[in-house]
């Protein structure tokens, strides 16, 4: 509004810069604690080196990658023979799908309940639409294809250790830890390197964990618990005079050997078929229904206590009863 000399500031958008979070998780099995390091991997491809600059990282455009696996439902239904259809051949080409690229703007995670911050290299600002992390010290960002790692925070926390077994997926006992995000902003998904008692055990991912959300994170396979699973046995019988019914009985046994010097609590994540028809009746005989938690799709959790230096046999036994004049599909 007045004549004079002024200093102008220039703000602009440059799509040659992006960042994603990555994490390092160190698990101490004796203390039942983890240390989690939060790192920002910044990629700068502007063809201009940035020297001694202030940097803010924003979650304005979050991208969620990775999901926690779960036991899939198992449905049982009548067998339907495949329909034969005529195939039509044309001379039209097939259009390939075009992949879209997105600039990843993701937040480094926050400390959780019972977490002590060891180092805090970023100032966190939270509003309704995004979270920003301002690096406290000036940094140099060279223009290159590779990303540059900037450590933001390191925190310690107590965790609950859970031993888990998924017979449907693998014959290994997994060591997992349970926690909860007590921060005011989400922990967005990123790559994760895991260390078990100081030894590197593998690389995976940390899923997006929202404020107040509980999570279970896999930290490795327990080699001190040996799993031996017997082949699934199938028995068949027919009953009834007029309305004949057919009954299939399935039996499967798993032998678990605990080499730990102490007893452990193991959660078995299993399933039985879930029927889509009223006259297909599925009945669980073992384990006892009072000892498990089962959902509407036949997936259940069985918690057992494995004594030290002993073998323990766990049996899954169920029957499928249906009209004898029909065929069923158990796949």
């Amino acid at each position: 509004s007045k004549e004079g000399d002024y200093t102008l500031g220039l703000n602009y958008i440059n799509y040659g810069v992006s960042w994603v979070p990555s994490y390092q998780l160190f698990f101490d099995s004796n203390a039942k604690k983890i240390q989690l390091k939060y790192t920002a991997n910044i990629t700068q491809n502007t063809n201009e080196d940035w020297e001694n600059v202030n940097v803010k990282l924003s979650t304005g455009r979050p991208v969620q990658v990775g999901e926690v696996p779960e036991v899939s439902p198992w449905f049982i239904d009548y067998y339907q023979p495949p329909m034969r259809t005529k195939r039509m051949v044309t001379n039209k080409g097939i259009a390939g799908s075009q992949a879209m690229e997105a600039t990843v703007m993701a937040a480094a995670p926050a400390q959780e309940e019972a977490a002590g911050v060891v180092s805090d290299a970023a100032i966190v600002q939270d509003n309704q639409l995004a979270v920003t992390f301002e690096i406290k010290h000036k940094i140099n960002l060279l223009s290159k294809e590779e990303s540059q790692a900037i450590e933001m925070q390191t925190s310690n926390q107590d965790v609950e250790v859970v031993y888990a077994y998924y017979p449907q997926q693998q014959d290994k006992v997994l060591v997992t830890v349970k926690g909860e995000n007590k921060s005011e902003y989400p922990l967005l998904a990123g790559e994760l390197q895991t260390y078990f008692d100081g030894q590197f055990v593998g690389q995976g991912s940390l899923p997006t964990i929202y404020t107040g959300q509980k999570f279970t994170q896999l930290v490795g396979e327990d080699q001190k618990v040996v799993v031996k699973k017997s082949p699934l046995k199938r028995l068949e019988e027919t009953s009834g005079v007029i309305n004949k019914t057919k009954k299939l009985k399935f039996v499967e046994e798993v032998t678990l050997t605990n080499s730990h010097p102490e007893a452990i609590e193991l959660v078995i994540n299993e399933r039985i078929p879930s029927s889509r028809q009223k006259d297909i009746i599925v009945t669980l005989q073992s384990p006892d229904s009072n000892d498990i938690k089962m959902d509407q799709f036949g997936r259940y959790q069985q918690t057992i206590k494995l004594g030290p230096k002993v073998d323990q046999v766990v049996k899954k036994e169920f029957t499928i009863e249906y009209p004898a004049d029909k065929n069923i599909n158990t796949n």
Side-chain angles (χ1 to χ4, degrees):
S1 61
K2 297 181 180 180
E3 295 181 356
D5 295 332
Y6 294 92
T7 299
L8 301 181
L10 177 63
N11 294 327
Y12 61 95
I13 297 176
N14 191 315
Y15 292 98
V17 186
S18 64
W19 77 283
V20 293
S22 65
Y23 312 95
Q24 285 183 312
L25 186 149
F26 299 87
F27 174 60
D28 186 337
S29 62
N30 293 324
K32 293 183 173 54
K33 292 180 179 290
I34 64 171
Q35 182 183 81
L36 190 63
K37 290 187 176 181
Y38 313 152
T39 301
N41 293 328
I42 306 175
T43 303
Q44 203 266 80
N45 292 323
T46 65
N47 295 323
E48 178 185 8
D49 292 339
W50 295 355
E51 297 182 357
N52 201 31
V53 294
N54 294 317
V55 174
K56 281 186 179 181
L57 307 174
S58 173
T59 63
R61 298 178 61 188
V63 173
Q64 179 177 349
V65 291
E67 295 180 356
V68 176
E70 61 176 342
V71 179
S72 59
W74 182 9
F75 295 105
I76 187 171
D77 204 344
Y78 291 121
Y79 173 75
Q80 297 290 341
M83 297 180 61
R84 294 183 178 180
T85 58
K86 295 182 179 181
R87 299 182 62 185
M88 181 178 294
V89 180
T90 68
N91 60 358
K92 294 182 180 180
I94 299 176
S97 61
Q98 183 178 4
M100 295 188 300
E101 295 184 356
T103 302
V104 180
M105 301 296 289
Q111 55 181 329
E112 301 173 12
E113 185 179 18
V117 176
V118 178
S119 65
D120 185 359
I123 301 174
V124 182
Q125 295 180 342
D126 185 21
N127 58 38
Q128 185 176 356
L129 299 180
V131 178
T132 60
F133 296 82
E134 181 178 358
I135 306 301
K136 290 183 177 180
H137 57 279
K138 293 185 177 182
I139 61 176
N140 296 327
L141 287 176
L142 302 181
S143 180
K144 56 183 181 179
E145 295 294 332
E146 298 82 9
S147 63
Q148 181 174 337
I150 305 296
E151 186 173 321
M152 303 223 298
Q153 286 186 334
T154 300
S155 64
N156 295 324
Q157 60 180 288
D158 297 324
V159 292
E160 177 187 355
V161 180
V162 178
Y163 295 90
Y165 173 44
Y166 292 81
Q168 178 191 354
Q169 298 174 350
Q170 58 184 347
D171 292 333
K172 298 288 185 180
V173 170
L174 306 178
V175 182
T176 64
V177 293
K178 284 188 174 182
E180 182 178 355
N181 181 12
K182 291 291 187 177
S183 67
E184 297 179 354
Y185 46 86
L187 317 181
L188 296 190
E191 292 184 353
L192 173 69
Q193 292 181 335
T194 302
Y195 296 79
F196 193 103
D197 290 339
Q199 299 293 325
F200 176 74
V201 293
Q203 184 169 337
S205 62
L206 187 75
T208 298
I209 305 171
Y210 295 98
T211 300
Q213 181 180 354
K214 296 182 179 180
F215 67 90
T216 300
Q217 186 67 29
L218 170 66
V219 296
E221 298 177 353
D222 190 337
Q223 299 183 358
K224 291 188 176 182
V225 180
V226 179
V227 178
K228 292 183 180 180
K229 185 165 59 177
S230 66
L232 181 65
K233 298 179 182 179
R234 171 173 168 162
L235 307 174
E236 182 177 326
E237 64 180 39
T238 303
S239 61
V241 179
I242 300 177
N243 297 322
K244 291 187 176 181
T245 61
K246 186 176 291 187
K247 179 185 289 188
L248 299 178
K249 184 177 182 179
F250 296 85
V251 181
E252 186 177 61
E253 292 184 347
V254 176
T255 302
L256 301 164
T257 303
N258 176 20
S259 299
H260 286 275
E262 71 282 342
I264 65 171
E265 193 173 76
L266 178 64
V267 179
I268 301 175
N269 299 269
E270 255 287 16
R271 64 174 186 171
I272 60 172
S274 178
S275 175
R276 294 183 183 271
Q277 305 292 338
K278 292 183 178 179
D279 51 359
I280 301 178
I281 302 174
V282 181
T283 304
L284 178 65
Q285 297 179 330
S286 181
D288 193 290
S289 59
N290 295 323
D291 299 331
I292 63 174
K293 297 179 181 178
M294 180 179 293
D295 67 9
Q296 58 181 337
F297 300 115
R299 299 175 295 190
Y300 66 86
Q301 287 187 335
Q302 179 186 8
T303 303
I304 64 174
K305 190 172 183 179
L306 287 178
K309 309 293 183 178
V310 296
D311 297 342
Q312 184 166 337
V313 177
V314 178
K315 179 186 291 187
K316 179 179 72 172
E317 183 176 342
F318 63 91
T319 59
I320 303 175
E321 195 169 355
Y322 60 97
D325 59 344
K326 296 182 179 180
N327 294 322
I328 62 172
N329 182 9
T330 59
N331 294 329

